[in-house]
Amino acid sequence: MRYFILMLIAIALGITSRKVEGVPTFFGDSLYAIMVYFGMRMLFINFNIKKIALLALLFCFGIEFLQLYDAEWMLAIRRTTLGHYVLGQGFLWSDLGFYTIGIIIAFLIDFNLVKRN
């Protein structure tokens, strides 16, 4: 349940970061990665947290590289609100770094939660 709540917090902060003027876009990219991490942690609760971090990072990188694929049907999905939030719009090398930062932050939060229990 705690991972679900952390995932919802990351989603809320990420959407809010896109709506508030002056918040740098990289903040939302890192929150996206945090959301992916906690979503995977929730789904694969018995996996080692290092494995979760790697899976989440691979997922985020995969979505970013998928942005290089611009078939018309994929562009149509990206034009929807949900498609835009999930698949993004354009490939940026810098996003890979921000995803990595987000995964590290989520991993450290999770590590401290696990250590406490």
Side-chain angles (χ1 to χ4, degrees):
M1 186 63 155
R2 84 173 64 143
Y3 296 115
F4 180 70
I5 292 168
L6 289 168
M7 187 179 73
L8 289 179
I9 290 169
I11 290 170
L13 289 172
I15 291 171
T16 303
S17 76
R18 299 293 188 191
K19 304 286 184 194
V20 175
E21 192 151 333
V23 176
T25 57
F26 69 82
F27 188 69
D29 295 330
S30 294
L31 285 167
Y32 177 83
I34 290 169
M35 182 255 332
V36 169
Y37 177 93
F38 288 125
M40 288 197 173
R41 185 73 167 115
M42 183 179 62
L43 292 174
F44 306 111
I45 192 74
N46 293 322
F47 279 28
N48 178 295
I49 63 173
K50 290 178 185 175
K51 188 179 284 189
I52 294 294
L54 181 62
L55 287 172
L57 192 62
L58 289 173
F59 179 86
C60 290
F61 278 32
I63 292 293
E64 190 65 24
F65 281 107
L66 190 60
Q67 291 174 20
L68 294 171
Y69 182 67
D70 56 353
E72 185 52 43
W73 66 271
M74 183 65 83
L75 295 174
I77 293 171
R78 286 189 190 118
R79 285 187 209 108
T80 67
T81 302
L82 183 59
H84 174 72
Y85 283 137
V86 173
L87 300 176
Q89 287 294 25
F91 178 85
L92 292 172
W93 284 104
S94 60
D95 285 352
L96 301 177
F98 298 127
Y99 294 147
T100 304
I101 291 168
I103 297 296
I104 291 169
I105 291 168
F107 176 85
L108 292 173
I109 290 169
D110 194 16
F111 179 78
N112 285 316
L113 287 174
V114 168
K115 191 169 81 171
R116 236 189 263 157
N117 291 333

